[in-house]
């Protein structure tokens, strides 16, 4: 099997697996978030939390709950890291205040950017009690917000969007937890470690002695991919053989990190009562995903740049068991979702390949995007696209029977504006800092790309990196932390406000004058909007980094 | 907001118990069953009661006499001190060098020449994975091309025939659904075993 | 409650032709650019510019570039600063041109506002002379033949013919009388005959004419909901590009090629959506203007936009779908009489009858039965017996023969006959089908029955088909019984009908449609239409209607032509499409500008970026200046389109979008590549470029 055929087989199997679960998982999630029944376990959660699961919230209360929960999460996670020495399994590891602050925001915002080396910074207790928990609940928050937005479209003449605590709990208990548990076991069977030891000593065949690091990796790995989180329990992340031991686990992990965002389009279609509305979003995501995969894969398998030309192939920063195709597939999947796990070092990608991963994030991570965040990001872009399209057919724009007026456009604009704002300002400001040049691992345009990638990743809550950059100084720790927080919570608040203003509207009936949002025309328009907005916003920055590299 | 924060804290604590304690420990408990236990603890290979490494972790063996190097070598590791040298598997990571990094191109050239010299071949024959650092720095595998490049030397230094070594290479080659790779630790152990007879 | 327009088909056709002509005459001529220049220059102040966020950024950029050009004069810096100012100027020019067209209209109207002297009735019945401006609501004024009506009001006494040409442009006088639906008079119109007493209903300065003037001048123009939403989107884009350019400087500096502020300003202005930003208010004004050209006055831009959104049209049957009057459609002979006998008698009885019904009988006899259409010399000698409420019949006495037509009982009695069961049956049948039976008798012989029925105007079916394609449902409103209504609805091809409609029913229907999320448009003229007009999203009052109706609706059709509702909907759509299309065009333009400017900025530090210069522009300075010039000139080039509106053909949403995306999206990407390349060919000739 040639590498190309092996790659195509991987893509084919991935798509097949996604196709198989699309309907059942999508329908299941639709039931989870509409069911009137509470599980016994959930009732216990509500009792302890002293919340009434049958009361529904106004969008402001919903947003306040999201923000309050996330704030509490940041505080608790910070404390867990700082008080690590009081916990078991700490192995003498400590996190500095800068690391703890950055990491707390990073994991609560579903970014999972890591400015630390896990093997020496985070003990197993922090990993389990702090980071794994946020892997679950930050994904569940994204899911909850997406469901609130969908309710905005589905409901009419109400100011209630559901109950955040219920959505959070159900997402965790009914969706993430069972899937993560099953796949954690599957991963262990395929070689992923799940150990409470810090490491194991071995005497190598040549007589030398090594200590191989161990960790409870499988339980973290499963939810890290499933929740599009991406924070590795080992420094090399999903490139580490203990996190991702074979081409099969590689494929499973790619499947896990795409499955929920993909199936949510089905959930969406079911909930709005027209499954084709979901299919068309999936098509748009698929076109962007496939297009970018082609770019990245092609770029990596056609040696470009002095290093790859000299070596005879772009294997720098890649693992043999994944090869070029398995690495490109993972890189594309991780940056087009908000995962940020890596099985190869994006910093060593070619200009075009690395630029592709950057552009994936700059699209706003919606192909298919993070758990929940992919769907709501795509819907926000759809609103902008439908606004223009609606004007072009001569009507007050509407989408899914809801008019897009001043308030809806404002909310969508704020949601879209947040990411480029912090991304561009963060990058620009960082470049003005005298220490920045010294933090880079590469000279020239690629060094610039490292800074750009860092802020792109943080602002989009991705978490992957051109990891050569050293981001441990206070400037990076704090500004990247702020980028993550703004990049997450400004859009979430805007999306909930949008949901609120959609829900109070009555539904506009569909007529021949209504622009259908299920056909190829709408899909084309949506793809065009995503690409054009990202291109126009980021072309100048890209020109100085990846474009300059790729054309060199 | 304050009310929400208290509710949030209470719920976070319950969910922490659920997803931060019961879940990972539950997975750990399941992993104790035979069949999962050994992989859960790192796929450690033992010989004569001694741990000789993990089947999943590549640590480059160092020859005592560089002139008579009996080992198959792993890929370069960014964790190593030298361009070609053993990694410390208590950590992990790649070089993160860009595709146009001139300094690093020099390192790659150095590796290429060193390997060509070691194997006594033209530098052009050295495959890409032999001169580039892996993503984890612990890549357990090398490409079949790199294995075959090293095979004549390994056969010679271990007193085996090239055919025997070739057979060991193919026995230790696995493909899965990706590119084929040869597990260096297992291959070296197999060579040693065959050498011992 | 129904409208009272009475027009023949020929009149109808003539009016349509006129409209087409008038719209055609509204197109833009280059001379308007020059004449609007002073107005445009007045708009260059910061206060005016600040109302438009996009252009305000350009304004600040121009100022900055000017300061920099003064500090460091050079061909490039001065040229760039100059063209940035041109960009601001052209935007103001677009607005000024649009407003200028309204001003002309306003001038005509203002001429009607001559200072009038009113004869106010005192409580004791005596009259006093007061200036028109002193009139208050509720004052009673006397207006006689030759007087100008001093203010808006309702006729409370008398009947008069009034010349309203000053407002409507229509030379034929109209009748205004107390009570009923023709009681409203407008200040500034002239009474031609008789004497009326008018109760003033508007304060001075707030009269109908005053409001019309303010509207067409655009003085009261407020941003419409869609315009506000679009402005928010455009501001968002502006902020994004502002950020991109601001962040670019440290990036450039880091790469080792710090950019001059003037270049960054030029880049910013080229990227932000100046094209649509500059034309946005002109498009809005022009949309109102297009309505005015069709003699429709909208009280707000919001109403025009709502017209584009309408999904249900309520159309009165009479006058809108059918001709205002019933027409003879069938001759049914009875007894021994042949059709020919009946035709002869019917024709004779109607020869001198000037009513539309009478004329339609003569026409029917001429076309179907080969009788002469005009009376012979001999026939002119007959004595015409007019219709009266007492006799309920009309006819002719000629050469001793008397012919009468009219209500069955009256004519039968006149002929001295008992009611024939045959006639009774026919009359019954015609009535039940919604027609009007006229019995014709010649002497003592009952010849037969003439059926008068509604006739659907030609072309209505096609019109409703188009509306259906646009997603608009048509509902016919009629006072007829359901059976008749159904028959006519079927003929006309409307989607639904409301029979035996009372004003409350109409109101209930509007509410029901709105409840389902539909926007409703309707026309009306009577006082009892007022609540429904107010409730409808688009309520078009006929100018012939009462003041109450005009106050309640949000548009007034000066021609009082209910069919115009369809055109109003199209204008509303065209307005939105123009905005959407030009926004798309504006954004799509940016791609080419990047290809021009980025290589110019960075080819020095990264020579490989020179490969992006696919237009092969002369030099970095000429590339940037060419992009700036293109950006300014495209505004002027698009002014005619903004004023005229993009071409609108009724079609379903999908094909409309496909067409507009192709023209304005794809066209927007390609055009600037060609434009910038061409401009560069000229710019490179400037020494120092």
């Amino acid at each position: 099997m040639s590498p190309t055929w092996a790659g195509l087989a991987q893509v084919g199997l991935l798509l097949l697996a996604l196709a198989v679960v699309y309907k059942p998982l999508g329908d299941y999630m639709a039931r989870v978030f509409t069911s009137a029944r509470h599980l016994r376990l959930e009732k216990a959660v509500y009792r302890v939390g002293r919340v009434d699961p049958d009361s529904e919230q106004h969008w402001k209360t919903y947003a306040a709950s999201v923000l309050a929960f996330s704030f509490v999460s940041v505080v608790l996670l910070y404390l867990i890291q700082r008080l690590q020495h009081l916990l078991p399994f700490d192995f003498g590891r400590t996190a500095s205040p800068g690391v703890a602050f950055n990491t707390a925001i990073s994991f609560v915002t579903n970014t999972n950017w890591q400015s630390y080396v896990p093997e020496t910074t985070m003990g197993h207790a922090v990993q389990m009690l702090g980071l794994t928990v946020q892997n679950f609940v930050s994904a569940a928050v994204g899911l909850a917000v997406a469901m609130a937005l969908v309710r905005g479209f589905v409901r009419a003449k109400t100011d209630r969007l559901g109950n955040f605590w219920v959505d959070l709990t159900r997402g965790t208990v009914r969706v993430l937890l069972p899937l993560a548990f099953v796949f954690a076991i599957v991963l262990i069977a395929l070689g992923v470690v799940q150990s409470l030891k810090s490491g194991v000593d071995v005497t190598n065949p040549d007589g030398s002695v090594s200590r191989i690091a161990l960790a409870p990796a499988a339980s973290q790995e499963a939810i890290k991919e499933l929740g599009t989180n991406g924070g590795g329990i080992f420094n090399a992340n999903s490139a580490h053989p203990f996190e991702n031991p074979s081409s099969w686990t590689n494929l499973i992990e790619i499947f896990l990190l795409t499955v929920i965002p993909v199936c949510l389009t089905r959930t969406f279609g079911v909930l709005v009562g027209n499954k084709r509305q979901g299919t068309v979003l999936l098509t748009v995501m698929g076109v962007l995903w496939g297009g970018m995969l082609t770019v990245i894969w092609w770029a990596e398998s056609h040696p470009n740049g002095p290093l790859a030309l000299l070596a005879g192939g772009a294997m720098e920063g890649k693992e043999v068991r994944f090869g070029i195709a398995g690495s490109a597939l993972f890189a594309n999947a991780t940056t087009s979702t908000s995962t940020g796990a890596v099985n190869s070092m994006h910093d060593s990608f070619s200009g075009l390949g690395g630029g592709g991963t950057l552009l994936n994030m700059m699209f706003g991570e919606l192909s298919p995007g993070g758990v929940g965040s992919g769907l709501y990001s795509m819907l926000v872009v759809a609103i902008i696209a439908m606004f223009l399209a609606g004007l072009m057919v001569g009507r007050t724009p509407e989408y899914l029977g809801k008019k897009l007026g001043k308030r809806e456009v404002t909310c969508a604009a704020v949601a879209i504006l947040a990411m480029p704002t912090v991304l561009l300002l963060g990058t620009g400001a960082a470049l003005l800092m005298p220490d920045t040049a010294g933090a880079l691992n590469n000279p020239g345009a690629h060094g610039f790309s490292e800074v750009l990638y860092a802020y792109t990743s943080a602002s989009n809550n991705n978490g992957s990196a051109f990891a050569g950059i050293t981001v441990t100084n206070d400037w990076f720790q704090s500004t990247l932390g702020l980028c993550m927080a703004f990049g997450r919570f400004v859009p979430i608040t805007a999306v909930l406000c949008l949901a609120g203003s959609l829900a109070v509207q009555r539904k506009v009936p569909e007529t021949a004058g209504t622009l259908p949002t299920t056909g190829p025309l709408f899909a084309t328009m949506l793809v065009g909007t995503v690409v054009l907005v990202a291109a126009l916003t980021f072309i100048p920055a890209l020109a100085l980094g990846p474009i300059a590299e790729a054309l060199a | 907001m304050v009310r929400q924060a208290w509710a949030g804290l209470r719920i976070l604590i319950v969910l922490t118990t659920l997803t931060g304690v019961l879940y990972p420990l539950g997975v750990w408990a399941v992993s104790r069953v035979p069949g999962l236990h050994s992989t859960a603890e790192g796929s450690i290979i033992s010989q004569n009661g001694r741990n000789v490494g993990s089947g999943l972790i590549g640590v480059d063996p160092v020859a005592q006499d560089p002139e008579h190097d009996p080992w198959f070598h792993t890929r370069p590791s960014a964790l190593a001190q030298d361009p070609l040298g053993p990694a410390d598997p208590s950590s992990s990571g790649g070089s993160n060098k860009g595709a146009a990094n001139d300094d690093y191109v020099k390192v790659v050239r150095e590796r290429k020449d060193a390997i060509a010299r070691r194997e006594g071949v033209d530098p052009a024959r050295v495959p890409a994975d032999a001169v580039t650092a892996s993503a984890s720095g612990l890549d357990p595998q090398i490409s079949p091309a790199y294995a075959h490049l090293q095979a004549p030397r390994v056969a010679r230094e271990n007193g085996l025939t090239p055919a025997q070594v070739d057979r060991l290479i193919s026995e230790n080659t696995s493909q899965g659904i990706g590119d084929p790779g040869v597990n260096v630790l297992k291959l070296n152990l197999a060579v040693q075993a065959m050498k011992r007879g | 409650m129904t409208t009272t327009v009475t027009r023949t088909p020929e009149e109808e056709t003539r009016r349509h032709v006129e409209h087409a002509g008038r719209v055609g005459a509204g197109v833009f001529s280059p001379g308007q650019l020059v004449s609007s220049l002073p107005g445009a220059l007045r708009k260059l102040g910061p206060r005016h510019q600040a109302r438009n966020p996009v252009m305000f950024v350009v304004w600040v950029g121009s100022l900055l570039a000017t300061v920099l050009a003064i500090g460091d004069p050079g061909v490039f810096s001065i040229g760039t600063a100059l063209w940035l100012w041109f960009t601001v100027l052209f935007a103001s020019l677009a607005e000024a041109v649009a407003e200028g067209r309204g001003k002309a209209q306003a001038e005509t109207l203002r001429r009607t506002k001559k200072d009038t002297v009113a004869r106010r009735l005192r409580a004791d019945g005596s009259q006093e002379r007061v200036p028109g401006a002193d009139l208050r609501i509720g004052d009673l004024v006397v207006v006689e033949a030759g007087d100008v009506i001093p203010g808006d009001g309702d006729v409370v006494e008398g009947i008069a013919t009034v010349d309203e040409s000053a407002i409507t442009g229509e030379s034929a006088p109209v009748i205004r009388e107390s009570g009923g639906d023709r009681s409203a008079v407008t200040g500034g119109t002239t009474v031609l005959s008789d004497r009326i007493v008018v109760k003033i209903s508007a304060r001075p300065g707030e009269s109908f004419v005053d409001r019309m003037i303010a509207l067409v001048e655009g003085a009261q123009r407020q941003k419409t909901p869609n315009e506000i939403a679009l402005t928010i989107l455009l501001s968002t884009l502006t902020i994004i590009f502002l950020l991109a350019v601001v962040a670019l400087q440290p990036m450039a500096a880091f790469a080792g090629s710090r950019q001059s502020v003037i270049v960054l300003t030029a880049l910013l202005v080229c990227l932000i959506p100046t094209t649509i930003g500059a034309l946005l208010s002109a498009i809005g004004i022009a949309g109102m203007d297009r309505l005015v050209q069709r003699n429709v006055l909208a009280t707000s831009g919001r109403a025009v936009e709502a017209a584009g959104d309408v999904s249900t049209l309520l159309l009165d049957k009479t006058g809108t779908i059918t001709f205002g009057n019933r027409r003879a459609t069938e001759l049914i002979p009875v007894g021994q009489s042949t059709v020919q006998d009946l035709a002869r008698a019917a024709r004779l009885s109607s020869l001198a009858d000037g009513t539309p019904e009478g004329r339609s009988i003569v026409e029917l006899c001429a076309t179907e039965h080969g009788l002469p259409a005009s009376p012979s010399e001999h026939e002119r000698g007959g004595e015409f017996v007019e219709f009266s409420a007492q006799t309920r019949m009309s006819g002719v006495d000629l050469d001793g023969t008397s012919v009468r037509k009219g209500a069955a009982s009256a004519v039968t009695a006149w002929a001295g006959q008992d009611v024939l069961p045959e006639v009774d049956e026919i009359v019954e049948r015609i009535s039940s089908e919604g027609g009007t039976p006229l019995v014709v008798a010649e002497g003592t012989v009952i010849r037969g029955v003439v059926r008068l029925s509604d006739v659907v105007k030609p072309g209505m079916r096609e019109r409703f088909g188009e509306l259906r394609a646009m997603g608009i449902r048509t509902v016919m409103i009629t006072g007829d019984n359901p059976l008749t209504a159904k028959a006519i609805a079927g003929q006309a091809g409307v989607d639904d009908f409301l029979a035996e409609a009372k004003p409350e029913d109409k109101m209930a229907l509007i509410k029901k449609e709105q409840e389902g999320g539909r926007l409703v448009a309707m026309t009306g003229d009577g006082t009892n239409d007022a609540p429904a007009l107010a409730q409808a999203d688009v309520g078009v009052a006929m100018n012939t209607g009462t003041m109450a109706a005009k106050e309640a609706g949000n548009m007034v059709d000066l021609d009082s032509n209910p069919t115009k509702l369809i055109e109003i909907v199209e204008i509303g759509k065209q307005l939105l499409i123009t905005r959407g299309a030009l926004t798309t065009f504006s954004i799509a333009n940016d791609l080419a500008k990047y290809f021009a400017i980025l290589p110019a900025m960075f080819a020095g530090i990264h020579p490989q970026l020179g490969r992006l210069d696919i237009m092969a522009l002369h030099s970095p300075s000429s590339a940037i200046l060419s992009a700036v010039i293109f950006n300014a000139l495209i505004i002027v080039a698009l002014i005619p389109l903004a004023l005229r509106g993009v071409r609108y053909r009724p079609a379903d949403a999908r094909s409309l979008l496909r067409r507009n995306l192709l023209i304005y999206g794809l066209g927007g990407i390609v055009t600037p590549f060609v434009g910038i390349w061409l401009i560069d060919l000229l710019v490179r000739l400037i020494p120092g470029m």
Side-chain angles (χ1 to χ4, degrees), chain B residues 35-171:
Chain B
L36 293 181
H37 183 265
S38 104
T39 55
E41 291 299 325
S43 307
I44 301 299
I45 298 174
S46 294
Q47 273 192 345
N48 312 323
R50 214 172 57 162
N51 293 340
V52 293
S54 163
L56 293 175
I57 301 291
V59 179
D60 197 36
V62 179
Q64 271 154 353
D65 176 6
E67 295 304 310
H68 297 282
D69 185 343
W71 305 113
F72 278 100
H73 288 280
T74 64
R75 299 179 59 194
S77 168
L79 305 165
Q81 306 288 326
D82 309 316
L84 292 171
D88 171 9
S90 67
S91 189
S92 58
S95 74
N96 287 306
K97 295 299 181 188
N101 188 321
D102 290 336
D103 292 342
Y104 193 64
V105 169
K106 285 198 196 92
V107 174
V108 171
R109 177 160 294 125
E110 219 174 293
R111 284 179 187 151
K112 197 157 193 155
D113 293 341
I115 291 169
R117 222 175 309 118
R118 189 182 72 203
E119 310 300 341
V121 297
D122 183 73
R125 281 190 56 205
V126 178
D129 64 307
V131 295
T132 50
S134 61
S136 61
L138 305 171
D139 197 336
Q141 293 181 317
I142 54 176
S143 66
Y146 189 30
H148 286 294
L149 190 80
Q150 301 183 63
R153 169 180 54 78
V154 172
R156 189 175 66 240
E157 299 300 336
N158 288 296
L160 302 175
T161 66
Q164 285 176 309
V165 175
D166 280 351
R167 188 162 55 81
L168 292 181
I169 289 176
S170 47
E171 278 171 12

